Amino acid sequence: MGNVARMEKSSETVCKIVCQYSRGRISAKDMEKLQEIAEDYRKVKNYVYDRFGGIGSLSKLYPGYTVQNEMTQSGLRGELKLPSVYFYLAVFEAIADIKSQWTRTKSKVLSLLAKNENLEPEEKHYLRYLLKVNNAFAAVLEEEPVELKSELQAKYDEVSKYVDAEKMHRYLCRQVRRYHTKLHSDRAEGFASSGKAYRYGDHGIYLASKERHKRIFVELTDGNQYGSQIYIKLYPKEGKLHIHVPVNRAARSHSDYVNQIGLAAGVYTMLTTDTGQRYGERLGEYQKEYAGWIKRQTASYNRNCKDNPGRKKYEAKKRRYTEQIHSYINCELNRLLRTEKPRTIYTVKLPKAQAAGGNRRVNGFLSMWQRGYIRKRLAQKCKEQSVELVEVFGKGISKECSECGREGNRKNGMFICSFCGYEADEKENTARNTLKRGLAGQTIH
Ligand SMILES: [Zn+2]
């Protein structure tokens, strides 16, 4: 990468969720008022899910102001006496949820389509087109003729020429009806708020309530002030709340981060570099302890499954275990970046978690391994520090000798090549191959 690209990179911003916490216990009276807002917020969302989440409303979702206007006219806001800020934020949140629900439905139909052996290639091609072009998709589901902008229309006429369109539309509608479920929110966990409805001050935050001109004051543990849209999450039993604030931060860039490194991930040691440095060596230990505890809990749960008063305690302990492992992972990832000072990190694209079957104990252990979490955190930290993270193809990577390229043997965590005599830690060998493949451009884009 040239210098120009490097400089552009350093001006990138990274979105991060910052958390703020209430100090002390929120009075029961104030908590009740906050819960009332959360409850109304939930009602508004469910109303939107119910009215606009179905097949017939697809075309109203883009652009969103149709929904917004209809919600204004619905009279629901007046009925609930909810401040308009909360009302519209609930509407927008519900619309966003519905849109992601549609994305999920479409990808489900798309994956079934790929496996369907009864469809001709032209038919699959046509159906994929419908799933891709929103207006065409909406028209088909609403049983309207497909009418598109001129350039899209030409393409549509082209792909529809070779198929029985009616038959395809019936197939698509059937699939969508089968997999598209309406959303519903059962729990009122909190609500979003924006600059008009809150004000920081006096070591806390003033939140708009349902009573006119009366704000609820909540003391906070820090003095930070933000101006963006925030999310208030309530914990009524504990008498506390958390505030989630999305913050855009300029990515930091380090002039001394110049190294190219290869990494190999493992179950026992989180990450090993191409020079044999290890990060997260205690991950396996933590995981094993956690797995053992879960196993004992499950056994005792099965014995006393009739009623279980300890369930809450169990959840709390489980959360503590996860938090402990996550904080360990984050510390070790930070240490890796600080120590290795990488400009580029190459990793193997991790395979998806294996399907059930095989050795159950090992599967249980592996599923506990925080694969997805480590990958997500590494990606986020690389973004924050302007480190390039590149995935390489992983096929056969652990069997290959990083010295001569031939196939070697692995035993007790060691890699031994009988051709050239190379011997190293198995993970170190993999990390060396990863770096080699990365530098050779065998990367995934
Ligand atoms: Zn060799």
Side-chain angles (χ1 to χ4, degrees):
M1 192 191 291
N3 279 331
V4 177
R6 189 72 184 158
M7 274 168 61
E8 276 170 11
K9 211 171 176 259
S10 66
S11 64
E12 267 175 33
T13 57
V14 187
C15 184
K16 215 177 160 166
I17 303 289
V18 173
C19 207
Q20 291 187 287
Y21 309 92
S22 57
R23 184 201 291 278
R25 202 178 169 95
I26 298 169
S27 75
K29 211 174 117 214
D30 282 348
M31 183 53 86
E32 202 178 297
K33 288 179 188 165
L34 292 167
Q35 279 181 280
E36 229 178 278
I37 299 169
E39 182 53 32
D40 286 353
Y41 196 85
R42 184 183 76 91
K43 277 184 196 151
V44 174
K45 280 177 68 177
N46 280 338
Y47 184 97
V48 175
Y49 290 154
D50 208 47
R51 185 157 160 184
F52 302 100
I55 288 169
S57 307
L58 189 54
S59 56
K60 286 182 183 169
L61 297 177
Y62 304 91
Y65 53 72
T66 316
V67 176
Q68 198 184 333
N69 288 343
E70 288 191 25
M71 285 306 289
T72 306
Q73 285 153 20
S74 72
L76 181 63
R77 189 176 88 76
E79 230 173 83
L80 296 171
K81 299 190 177 68
L82 187 66
S84 69
V85 181
Y86 297 136
F87 181 78
Y88 288 107
L89 287 174
V91 171
F92 297 141
E93 197 177 304
I95 295 174
D97 291 344
I98 294 171
K99 284 181 183 172
S100 15
Q101 174 81 345
W102 273 112
T103 307
R104 280 196 296 276
T105 302
K106 283 181 186 175
S107 66
K108 176 76 188 167
V109 175
L110 207 56
S111 75
L112 290 170
L113 188 61
K115 287 181 211 148
N116 191 322
E117 287 167 3
N118 299 319
L119 293 168
E120 299 296 326
E122 292 81 11
E123 294 180 320
K124 289 188 180 184
H125 189 61
Y126 178 64
L127 289 166
R128 280 198 195 98
Y129 182 84
L130 292 180
L131 286 162
K132 203 171 70 187
V133 180
N134 229 323
N135 286 340
F137 182 68
V140 168
L141 291 185
E142 287 166 19
E143 294 177 40
E144 301 280 340
V146 178
E147 282 163 4
L148 302 167
K149 283 189 208 137
S150 57
E151 66 272 22
L152 287 172
Q153 188 70 40
K155 176 77 182 158
Y156 175 76
D157 293 341
E158 171 74 30
V159 292
S160 61
K161 209 158 36 180
Y162 309 100
V163 298
D164 179 349
E166 288 291 312
K167 187 181 146 205
M168 290 300 98
H169 296 178
R170 280 198 302 276
Y171 168 83
L172 191 64
C173 289
R174 223 167 34 237
Q175 292 293 75
V176 169
R177 267 191 219 106
R178 186 170 300 160
Y179 297 106
H180 194 72
T181 49
K182 263 191 193 175
L183 293 160
H184 186 83
S185 162
D186 289 322
R187 285 195 297 171
E189 292 183 314
F191 53 89
S193 183
S194 73
K196 279 180 247 166
Y198 68 80
R199 179 172 69 78
Y200 284 98
D202 307 320
H203 307 287
I205 190 166
Y206 289 88
L207 298 163
S209 75
K210 291 181 70 175
E211 292 168 83
R212 271 179 81 86
H213 308 303
K214 275 198 182 160
R215 295 203 165 198
I216 301 160
F217 177 71
V218 178
E219 202 181 345
L220 299 175
T221 56
D222 68 58
N224 297 338
Q225 304 199 350
Y226 304 94
S228 56
Q229 188 178 312
I230 59 177
Y231 186 83
I232 316 285
K233 193 164 180 192
L234 305 176
Y235 298 87
K237 280 180 202 122
E238 292 94 336
K240 62 178 191 179
L241 62 76
H242 289 179
I243 304 176
H244 299 176
V245 191
V247 179
N248 279 317
R249 289 224 172 117
R252 293 185 57 188
S253 88
H254 309 265
S255 55
D256 57 336
Y257 279 30
V258 293
N259 300 319
Q260 309 261 346
I261 66 167
L263 292 180
V267 179
Y268 297 98
T269 295
M270 178 171 76
L271 294 164
T272 305
T273 72
D274 58 281
T275 57
Q277 298 301 311
R278 293 150 174 246
Y279 298 92
E281 273 189 283
R282 279 159 58 204
L283 182 67
E285 227 172 275
Y286 276 123
Q287 300 282 29
K288 214 165 153 184
E289 190 192 322
Y290 181 31
W293 177 77
I294 292 257
K295 212 175 144 193
R296 288 193 300 278
Q297 292 301 311
T298 312
S300 77
Y301 179 69
N302 288 344
R303 274 200 306 275
N304 334 303
C305 60
K306 284 281 181 290
D307 65 326
N308 199 331
R311 198 71 193 160
K312 232 157 94 197
K313 237 167 112 185
Y314 167 82
E315 290 298 336
K317 180 111 196 233
K318 195 170 151 187
R319 202 164 53 232
R320 273 206 301 282
Y321 264 117
T322 318
E323 275 167 11
Q324 187 189 26
I325 293 174
H326 284 184
S327 117
Y328 177 67
I329 289 170
N330 283 306
C331 283
E332 286 296 285
L333 289 175
N334 291 343
R335 191 168 72 83
L336 184 148
L337 293 179
R338 263 195 333 263
T339 316
E340 300 293 328
K341 302 191 188 313
R343 172 167 159 184
T344 310
I345 292 178
Y346 297 100
T347 62
V348 172
K349 187 168 168 54
L350 292 174
K352 279 190 187 154
Q354 279 162 6
N359 185 328
R360 277 188 66 187
R361 213 180 75 86
V362 173
N363 276 348
F365 183 54
L366 280 180
S367 67
M368 303 272 263
W369 179 34
Q370 314 267 342
R371 237 185 241 258
Y373 182 78
I374 294 167
R375 188 210 282 251
K376 204 174 76 192
R377 294 305 297 158
L378 179 64
Q380 172 78 12
K381 285 176 189 297
C382 283
K383 252 196 217 163
E384 285 169 15
Q385 310 295 331
S386 302
V387 174
E388 193 183 15
L389 183 65
V390 180
E391 287 183 330
V392 307
F393 289 104
K395 198 170 179 234
I397 201 157
S398 55
K399 289 187 228 155
E400 200 177 288
C401 171
S402 58
E403 197 60 36
C404 71
R406 280 179 279 198
E407 196 171 307
N409 302 308
R410 286 170 293 164
K411 212 176 188 180
N412 302 329
M414 288 298 287
F415 179 91
I416 299 155
C417 177
S418 52
F419 292 97
C420 70
Y422 175 73
E423 258 189 57
D425 174 275
E426 187 191 333
K427 293 293 173 190
E428 184 181 339
N429 180 62
T430 305
R432 275 164 53 111
N433 282 330
T434 307
L435 178 61
K436 252 168 88 177
R437 289 186 186 190
L439 295 175
Q442 293 170 285
T443 55
I444 300 162
H445 296 289

